[in-house]
Every structure is written in C-alpha cells, then in structure tokens.
Amino acid sequence: MMVNSKFLLGFFFWTYFSINAQSLDNSFGTNGKVIHTFSQNYTAQHQSYFMQSDGKILNVGYAYEGNYLAKILVTRHLSDGVLDATFDTDGALEFTYGQNFEEANSIIQLSNGKIAVGGASFGNAVVAMLNDNGTFDSSFGTNGKKFLTIGQGNGSKIEKLIQQPDGKILTFGRGSNGNDFDFMITRLHLDGTFDTSFGTNGIVLVPISSFHDFATDAAFQSNGKFVVAGYSTGSQDSISVIRLNANGSLDTTFATNGKYNTAFGSSMNEIWGIAIQTDDRIVLAGRVSGSSYNSIETLTVRLTSNGQLDTSFNSTGFAAVDFKLNAQDAVNDVLLLPNGSILIMGSSNQDSEFAMLQFSPNGSINTNFGNNGRFFVSVGNGQVAWINEGLLLPNNDLLVGGLVVPEVGGKGQFGMVKLTDLNLSATDFYATNHQISIYPNPFSAIINIDFASDFNFKKAQIVSLIGQQVIKEIDLSKNNAVDVSSLPSGVYLIVLFYDEHKFSYKIVKN
C-alpha cells in the first residue's frame, strides 16, 4: 500500500471539526518541506512512512537503478524534519536481502520498539526487523530478515504491515496460486515464525477474479475483523474488497459471500487506500478511467459496515472527480478527519505538486478546503511529485510524504511536507467552553479522566491506531480512574462518548 491506515489523532472534536486554512509549517525542514537525497545515481522510490510513539518519523522505499530495484531505503527524522543521527549513525539506512528486484512498501514501529519493514525480494515476500538504532534484530528470522514462502510461484509481495494488539504481525499483499495472483494475508509471531492458528499454517490466499488480484491496504473494524482492499485485473480492472475473521477465514456475511467486486469505469479501477469510520463504514480511495471519464480521475467509494455500496455518500456511494481538469490523477492514501470528512491524497501529473482533495461526510466536495476543495503544494522542480501517505498529528497538523524530484532531469527522492493552521472552526463551542483532562500521559497502570460538570460522560473505549477496540467499554459513571495496566506498551486512542458526540485523545502506555 501506499499507507492509510496508519494515522495519529490527538484530542479532536468529532462533530464540529473542519479544516478551513492551510499553510506550510516553517519550523519543519526548510519552509515546511524536507527532501532527502540518497544519490543522484538512482531513483529513491518512496513508498510509506510511520510516526513512532516518540514523534520520530520513519520513511521507507527502495532504490530504482536502471531496470533493477536495487536496495531498500529507510530514513528516520526528528519531529522538526532533521535526520535522526541515532538511527544507523546518520539517519539513513540502505540494505539488501542479497537479491535483485527488491522493494519495501510498508514500515511500522511495533509495541516492543522494534521496526518492521515489509516488501519483496526477487519474487518472495519479505520482512526485515530492525532495532531502534537501525541495526538488525538477530532474534527475528535469519539475522533479522525473513523470506515468506507463499503460494506456488514467484511474485509474492507485501504492501501493508499491521500489528495486532496481541503483538502478532499481519502482512497484506499478493501471493501466487500457480496461475495468477490472489490476495495474500499472513500472520507472524514476533520472531518471524508463522502463526499456524491463522489460515493454513499462517497463510491465507483469497481469489476474487479469474485473473490477478492485488491487495494494497487493510484496516480493522471495531469487531476485530479486518477489511482488505485492492483491485483485480482482466479484460477490465475492478475494485476488490474482502473481510476476514480473526482466524483468517473469509467472513461470508460481508458483501456477497465475503467479497465485494465491482467496476466504476470501463478501463482502470484501482484502490490504494482504506479507512474505517467510527461507525465501521468503509472508505476506499484510488483511481478510475474509461466509460464517461475523459482522463484518469480520483475515485472515492464508501461501503456500509457489511460491504454494500453506501448511497448516502454522494447519492451513489462513490465520487469520481479530477484533482485538475483532464489530468492523469493518482490517489495513494485516504484520511478521515474527526467530523467524518474525507481527505484523499496523491498527485496530478500536470505539475510537480502534492495534491489533496476533501469531501464532506455526505460525499460532496468541501469547498472550504483549499481552492474549491483542492489543495496543492509545489515540491521540487522536476515535474514529478506525489503523496504516498498522510498523518494527522496530535496537534491537528498534517504531515504528508512521498516522492519528489528536486531538480529538472534529476532522480526522485524522499520528500515530506508539514501543513499547519488547520484550525478548529468558530462553531466548535466545545473547544472553547469545555475542558477535558486525561492524565498522566504517558501512563503505566492508571489513567484518570476529568471533565467539566456539564459534560455527562457515561462511557469510554480504548482503540488501537488501526481502529481495533482493545477495551470495548469503560463505565465512567462509576469511576473516573481506569486501570489499564493490562495494555501492552504503545500508542492508543481513548474515545469518550457524550450524547451523540465523541471526543478522542491520543494516549501512550509506557
């Protein structure tokens, strides 16, 4: 995947929040932008990034040199954009699995502080495990690297990594069935061995179409089931979505026998990003072409929690619009803003710009965002730039990252942009007239929840950053001091419920 689901939310106001101003954060990098150049001899293909619990930013991708995907590239930056010299001595790591055609598509920090990188090496799905300082974790796989033998042929690839609350690692991508590719999902223990309680010996392959099926992103619903999205190829592409139970079996109550597959255009239909709303409705983002579409346009789809097209979104369940008129658009990630508004991110091939577009919860374009709902940031001078992932930070700033070509005729490099002034609107009377305190934060065992007397909070829940409920209900009418000592170390969201409103804090368990 080009990233999704992985975003951080601080204290936000679920019902009244909106973005109505944007500017570059000049405290980040140079004028709000960071470009890291590995080498002018190869393209540094940025694929994903992740914010650690300490605020440091991990980026991952691979070097594309000639016709070869030559090596894996990882950087870690401090919160101001400066390279972190405690990571591989200079903040930038290059390594290989000893093969050709190597790539890295996903990176996450685990609850034990280790850093997992997922991708492919010469037709095999692979995972590398790094210590916090960038060295390899020798307890994982073989010297910190694990080749996953999947299916009956070459070409398996990991696009997305997610850690479950119990510490196990899920991988999502594609695996060969001997004839073509299927959706591939595996589950690993922290030492890199397969979890044999999942699927068949830790592996699940799900065919959707009669030809290739590529899983690109995944996210948890509140019931612990996970939704996997991507696309299928054939005479025409189609978007594909499945839902799996916790043991890896296909959930046949979802869509049609566990699978949703359809086409909105007569040619291209691709999904690259997924996000799960608090009501478990599913938001998909990608691109579409053919039929009535004169160019490659952005595609945003919303499904009900059980996998049916949600016609309350844009009256049709989907929206296909241009970033720029008659451009060849690409969407690589989607974020949900606290009021349910939807932010899609990617590129328009007309300019060297990061491109964003915001929808209101009902699927109409939010014209208060940017210019007519669209916002562009010029990055580099090489006529090529795109966003692969976005993060909504605890202070409601927005960090986006992707590929940038710094100079005309140059090679692509890792790039990040930080936007600030994403202010709460004046209608947010809760932000100005009420107070909520959650402390201590970070915490070890007990967390306290205090709020003004005119709030009448009855319950709360704690969810992981991928949306999975880890404590389903906390009764606040009895006790505002909550024992959370059983939670593994990591970053979570605590959600407070007040009438029809929801409030959320980012919390950190030591």
Side-chain angles (χ1 to χ4, degrees):
M1 182 251 170
M2 311 284 182
V3 169
N4 145 343
S5 78
K6 41 255 142 70
F7 60 96
L8 302 178
L9 299 179
F11 179 36
F12 55 68
F13 301 89
W14 206 283
T15 305
Y16 296 100
F17 179 97
S18 65
I19 290 178
N20 51 20
Q22 307 83 35
S23 63
L24 294 173
D25 181 356
N26 291 327
S27 68
F28 182 78
T30 302
N31 299 322
K33 305 173 187 178
V34 170
I35 299 176
H36 177 72
T37 298
F38 284 92
S39 170
Q40 291 297 339
N41 296 322
Y42 57 75
T43 293
Q45 178 78 31
H46 181 279
Q47 289 295 93
S48 179
Y49 70 175
F50 188 90
M51 177 167 283
Q52 296 185 169
S53 57
D54 58 6
K56 296 178 180 180
I57 306 158
L58 293 164
N59 287 268
V60 75
Y62 52 88
Y64 191 91
E65 189 171 3
N67 294 323
Y68 293 96
L69 310 182
K71 64 184 75 174
I72 308 304
L73 308 174
V74 183
T75 66
R76 189 165 72 189
H77 299 257
L78 303 176
S79 59
D80 60 1
V82 174
L83 283 170
D84 176 15
T86 68
F87 182 80
D88 195 47
T89 71
D90 62 357
L93 170 68
E94 302 180 14
F95 70 90
T96 77
Y97 295 94
Q99 305 288 332
N100 291 322
F101 302 105
E102 300 195 329
E103 59 184 282
N105 300 312
S106 185
I107 189 167
I108 58 173
Q109 182 191 42
L110 304 179
S111 57
N112 61 5
K114 307 290 186 180
I115 298 166
V117 177
S121 174
F122 203 65
N124 291 289
V126 289
V127 178
M129 191 67 66
L130 305 175
N131 296 310
D132 183 67
N133 63 2
T135 60
F136 286 95
D137 175 13
S138 59
S139 69
F140 181 87
T142 302
N143 298 321
K145 302 172 184 176
K146 175 73 174 182
F147 285 76
L148 308 182
T149 302
I150 306 294
Q152 304 176 42
N154 288 332
S156 60
K157 178 193 297 190
I158 293 170
E159 296 279 5
K160 176 77 171 182
L161 296 172
I162 294 177
Q163 187 180 31
Q164 295 186 169
D166 63 3
K168 295 176 182 178
I169 304 167
L170 288 164
T171 79
F172 304 87
R174 73 187 194 197
S176 174
N177 60 26
N179 296 310
D180 50 55
F181 294 116
D182 294 335
F183 274 24
M184 176 201 75
I185 306 95
T186 74
R187 191 160 70 192
L188 305 175
H189 296 293
L190 285 175
D191 63 359
T193 57
F194 283 108
D195 175 11
T196 56
S197 69
F198 182 81
T200 302
N201 297 319
I203 301 169
V204 173
L205 291 176
V206 181
I208 300 171
S209 69
S210 59
F211 200 44
H212 294 313
D213 305 309
F214 302 114
T216 59
D217 201 3
F220 275 99
Q221 290 183 307
S222 61
N223 56 11
K225 298 178 181 182
F226 45 93
V227 182
V228 189
Y231 63 97
S232 302
T233 64
S235 57
Q236 70 172 39
D237 294 347
S238 56
I239 72 168
S240 296
V241 187
I242 64 172
R243 186 166 70 186
L244 299 183
N245 297 308
N247 64 0
S249 61
L250 193 65
D251 179 9
T252 56
T253 67
F254 180 80
T256 303
N257 297 321
K259 305 174 185 179
Y260 178 86
N261 178 254
T262 195
F264 296 96
S266 61
S267 181
M268 179 183 293
N269 296 269
E270 295 179 356
I271 294 299
W272 287 98
I274 183 173
I276 306 296
Q277 297 186 175
T278 55
D279 58 7
D280 279 336
R281 283 186 287 182
I282 302 159
V283 179
L284 309 167
R287 57 183 181 170
V288 64
S289 68
S291 300
S292 60
Y293 308 117
N294 296 322
S295 60
I296 300 175
E297 300 188 3
T298 73
L299 175 65
T300 306
V301 182
R302 191 164 70 192
L303 305 179
T304 64
S305 61
N306 285 321
Q308 305 300 323
L309 201 60
D310 178 10
T311 55
S312 69
F313 181 81
N314 198 35
S315 76
T316 59
F318 72 98
V321 297
D322 286 310
F323 278 133
K324 292 187 176 182
L325 186 63
N326 296 324
Q328 306 301 307
D329 297 323
V331 174
N332 298 323
D333 198 16
V334 56
L335 285 180
L336 297 178
L337 301 180
N339 66 343
S341 292
I342 297 164
L343 184 68
I344 62 173
M345 293 158 282
S347 67
S348 170
N349 74 334
Q350 289 184 340
D351 298 288
S352 179
E353 294 176 326
F354 284 180
M356 290 161 271
L357 188 151
Q358 187 183 142
F359 293 97
S360 298
N362 64 4
S364 61
I365 294 176
N366 181 2
T367 56
N368 291 323
F369 177 76
N371 183 9
N372 197 31
R374 297 155 174 88
F375 189 71
F376 302 94
V377 180
S378 179
V379 189
N381 297 299
Q383 300 303 304
V384 177
W386 61 75
I387 297 172
N388 275 334
E389 292 206 41
L391 295 171
L392 192 62
L393 304 180
N395 63 354
N396 290 326
D397 286 351
L398 179 66
L399 187 67
V400 293
L403 179 140
V404 174
V405 177
E407 300 176 1
V408 174
K411 303 290 186 179
Q413 307 296 340
F414 286 11
M416 294 185 292
V417 169
K418 187 177 180 185
L419 299 176
T420 189
D421 295 332
L422 310 182
N423 299 317
L424 296 175
S425 67
T427 59
D428 189 358
F429 60 92
Y430 289 108
T432 57
N433 295 338
H434 297 273
Q435 292 183 342
I436 302 173
S437 297
I438 296 182
Y439 63 93
N441 192 17
F443 61 93
S444 296
I446 302 295
I447 193 164
N448 299 282
I449 305 171
D450 291 342
F451 43 85
S453 59
D454 52 345
F455 275 109
N456 189 23
F457 288 116
K458 297 294 186 183
K459 67 176 183 177
Q461 63 182 209
I462 296 178
V463 300
S464 69
L465 294 182
I466 57 175
Q468 189 174 32
Q469 293 179 358
V470 293
I471 298 181
K472 291 187 176 181
E473 186 162 333
I474 300 167
D475 187 352
L476 296 179
S477 65
K478 296 181 179 179
N479 191 357
N480 287 10
V482 182
D483 184 354
V484 285
S485 57
S486 62
L487 288 179
S489 298
V491 184
Y492 301 89
L493 298 177
I494 185 167
V495 184
L496 310 180
F497 294 84
Y498 170 65
D499 293 337
E500 75 275 17
H501 308 299
K502 298 179 183 179
F503 300 79
S504 180
Y505 267 111
K506 185 189 79 168
I507 56 176
V508 179
K509 171 69 182 296
N510 289 325

